[in-house]
């Protein structure tokens, strides 16, 4: 049942301006030290400049425009308080609970948020797994932004969990194929789903790909240039090189056996060959892993799907990277309802609860 409480008429609705001051900060700095987010069981990945609070404010500002929520202003008295419940409308891994708390706090620090589940938990269709109580206007203002983040993150976490389980003993990674502006949010969801993060951006790992190799005049020239650059700049970081043939793998191994190099990982790109019957041939990938023989970490890339990842994971590769974890995400259906009894009735009628 919904619960409506009348409070002081002096409470005013929250309106958002489209103008804002963006301050670069680390993710840790965007979390108010005075708050205790008990739901944060998986911390977000680190990033030197990502402004999580700015992302939240931008999402709220694009919704509010220059007038605020005109429907709320027209229909909801300022002094009404309610309790709204989070409802899972399909099975999956829930993610974005900690981020939801940050959004509610940004809208109205007096809102009270409680959860029966935490990030990374499995939820079943029809489960009420959290609630928020306080001023009705501010709950409704925050609702869509909270759900947009939670549904996307939960979709990513759900697919990641399935892929990570199937990939063992290899580890599943995402890529940089994330929604613009949501890099850290998407990668956080991968961690919640049990995956591992690939490089955060262009700054934290050297990744020599096909275009770098072509411009540098060959794979060895590219590796040499990276070694020289890191030495000149006195930098220490992981270095990965993309290989596309067994000949390139052999070339890299011969060079690194004769010369000290900063190389730490070899990507084995498109060495999983699709077959007409829908299966895949992983013999080339296995051969490459055997050639490397543990000298470097290995990463399989290309033709990675739910159907192929198990077979790839048993070739001996260290990592399997999949852009689909974030670039083709299917949102997990979640709602926030004040009248939960009616919502469940409608959900059962439409097979969504």
């Amino acid at each position: 049942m919904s619960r409506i409480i009348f409070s002081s008429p002096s409470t005013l609705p929250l309106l958002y301006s489209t103008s804002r001051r963006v301050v670069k900060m680390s993710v840790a700095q965007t979390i108010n030290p005075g708050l205790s987010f008990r739901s944060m069981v998986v911390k977000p990945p680190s990033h030197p400049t990502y402004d999580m609070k700015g992302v939240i404010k931008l999402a709220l500002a694009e919704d509010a425009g220059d007038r605020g929520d005109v429907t709320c202003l027209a229909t909801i008295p300022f002094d009404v308080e309610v309790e709204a419940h989070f409802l899972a409308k399909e099975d999956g891994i829930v993610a974005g609970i900690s981020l939801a708390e940050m959004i509610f706090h940004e809208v109205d620090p007096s809102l009270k948020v409680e959860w029966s589940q935490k990030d990374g938990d499995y939820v079943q269709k029809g489960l009420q797994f959290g609630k928020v109580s306080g001023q009705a206007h501010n709950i409704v203002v925050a609702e869509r932004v909270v759900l947009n983040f939670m549904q996307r993150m939960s979709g990513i976490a759900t697919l990641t969990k399935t892929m990570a389980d199937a990939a063992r003993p290899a580890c599943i990674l995402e890529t940089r194929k994330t929604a613009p502006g949501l890099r850290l949010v998407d990668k956080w969801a991968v961690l919640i789903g049990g995956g591992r993060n690939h490089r955060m951006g262009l700054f934290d790992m050297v990744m020599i790909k096909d275009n770098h190799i072509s411009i540098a005049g060959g794979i060895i020239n590219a590796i040499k240039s990276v070694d020289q650059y890191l030495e000149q700049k006195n930098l220490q970081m992981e270095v990965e090189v993309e290989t596309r043939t067994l000949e390139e793998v052999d070339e890299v191994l011969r060079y690194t056996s004769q010369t000290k190099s900063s190389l730490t990982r070899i990507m084995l790109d498109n060495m999983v060959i699709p077959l007409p019957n829908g299966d895949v041939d992983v013999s080339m990938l296995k051969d490459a892993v055997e050639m490397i023989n543990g000298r470097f970490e290995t990463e399989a890339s290309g033709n990675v799907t739910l159907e192929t990842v198990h077979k790839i994971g048993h070739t001996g590769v260290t990592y399997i990277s999949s852009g689909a974890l974030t670039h083709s995400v299917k949102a997990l259906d979640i709602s926030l309802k004040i009248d939960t009894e009616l919502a469940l009735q409608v959900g059962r009628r439409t097979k969504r609860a």
Side-chain angles (χ1 to χ4, degrees), residues 33-304:
L35 296 177
S36 176
F37 293 114
R38 291 170 295 175
S39 58
M40 192 173 288
V41 293
V42 180
K43 292 182 180 180
S46 61
H47 191 291
T49 62
Y50 196 89
D51 182 6
M52 180 72 86
K53 192 168 185 177
V55 169
I56 291 170
K57 286 186 173 183
L58 182 62
L60 291 166
E62 71 179 358
D63 228 10
D66 58 353
R67 285 197 176 93
D69 186 341
V70 292
T71 311
C72 276
L73 292 170
T75 62
I76 301 177
F78 298 157
D79 54 356
V80 172
E81 291 194 356
V82 298
E83 185 177 274
H85 294 259
F86 285 92
L87 179 67
K89 300 174 83 170
E90 58 183 319
D91 299 348
I93 302 298
V94 67
I97 283 176
S98 297
L99 183 55
E101 289 191 20
M102 296 179 206
I103 297 166
F104 281 126
H105 185 269
E106 180 64 32
V107 172
D108 180 356
S110 71
L111 294 177
K112 184 180 179 182
V113 190
E114 300 175 73
W115 308 98
S116 61
Q117 305 294 312
K118 61 184 182 300
D119 279 331
D121 281 350
Y122 179 77
V123 294
Q124 291 183 306
K125 182 169 71 172
L127 178 69
Q128 292 182 36
F129 61 90
K131 65 181 180 180
V132 55
S133 55
Q135 190 183 17
H137 182 279
N138 290 337
I139 290 173
V140 176
V141 163
E143 173 192 0
R144 178 42 51 195
V145 173
V146 166
L147 290 176
N148 283 350
F149 278 116
M150 286 190 72
Q151 290 183 140
R152 178 177 177 83
M153 289 182 72
S154 296
I156 292 171
T158 299
L159 179 57
T160 300
K161 173 64 174 172
T162 305
M163 294 278 272
D165 287 348
R168 291 191 179 98
C171 296
I172 198 77
L173 307 171
E174 87 295 82
T175 67
R176 284 168 51 240
K177 296 174 183 177
T178 54
L182 297 181
R183 172 71 52 82
L184 190 137
V185 173
D186 284 0
K187 286 179 173 281
W188 191 2
V190 168
L191 292 180
I192 291 169
R196 297 269 295 273
N197 287 152
H198 210 303
R199 60 176 178 161
M200 185 59 59
L202 301 173
F203 59 91
D204 58 332
M205 179 183 186
V206 175
M207 191 165 175
I208 308 168
K209 293 180 67 66
D210 52 355
N211 285 336
H212 303 111
I213 292 167
S214 297
I215 295 168
I219 197 164
I220 302 306
N221 283 346
I223 295 173
K224 284 180 179 178
S225 296
V226 167
D227 287 337
Q228 291 168 4
Y229 175 83
L230 293 179
E231 186 175 0
Q232 289 169 3
K233 300 295 182 181
N234 195 27
L235 290 174
Q236 288 188 336
M237 60 177 60
E238 290 184 281
V239 176
E240 179 172 12
V241 65
E242 177 183 308
T243 60
R244 295 157 290 178
T245 65
L246 295 180
E247 289 74 24
E248 283 188 329
V249 173
D250 183 62
E251 196 176 352
V252 170
L253 292 174
R254 281 190 286 110
Y255 170 75
T256 54
S257 66
Q258 299 165 3
T259 308
K260 184 180 177 182
S261 175
S262 53
L263 185 68
T264 56
R265 188 186 304 176
I266 298 177
M267 176 186 282
L268 308 170
D269 191 45
N270 286 314
M271 295 190 187
V272 175
I273 314 302
L275 298 175
N277 64 0
D279 198 1
V280 287
D281 179 0
V282 295
S283 58
M284 183 179 179
L285 182 62
K286 280 185 176 179
D287 289 344
V289 170
E290 288 173 6
M291 288 171 63
I292 296 166
N293 194 29
R295 287 175 54 189
F296 300 98
E297 293 178 339
T298 52
E299 177 185 331
S301 178
N303 294 311
V304 177

Side-chain angles (χ1 to χ4, degrees), residues 8-56:
S8 168
S10 62
T11 308
L12 295 176
L14 208 68
L15 300 179
Y16 290 92
S17 168
T18 54
S19 62
R20 64 187 183 95
R21 182 171 63 93
V22 175
V23 180
K24 289 185 177 180
M25 60 186 77
S26 71
V27 176
Q29 290 173 303
T30 67
I31 300 170
N32 188 327
L35 296 177
S36 176
F37 293 114
R38 291 170 295 175
S39 58
M40 192 173 288
V41 293
V42 180
K43 292 182 180 180
S46 61
H47 191 291
T49 62
Y50 196 89
D51 182 6
M52 180 72 86
K53 192 168 185 177
V55 169
I56 291 170

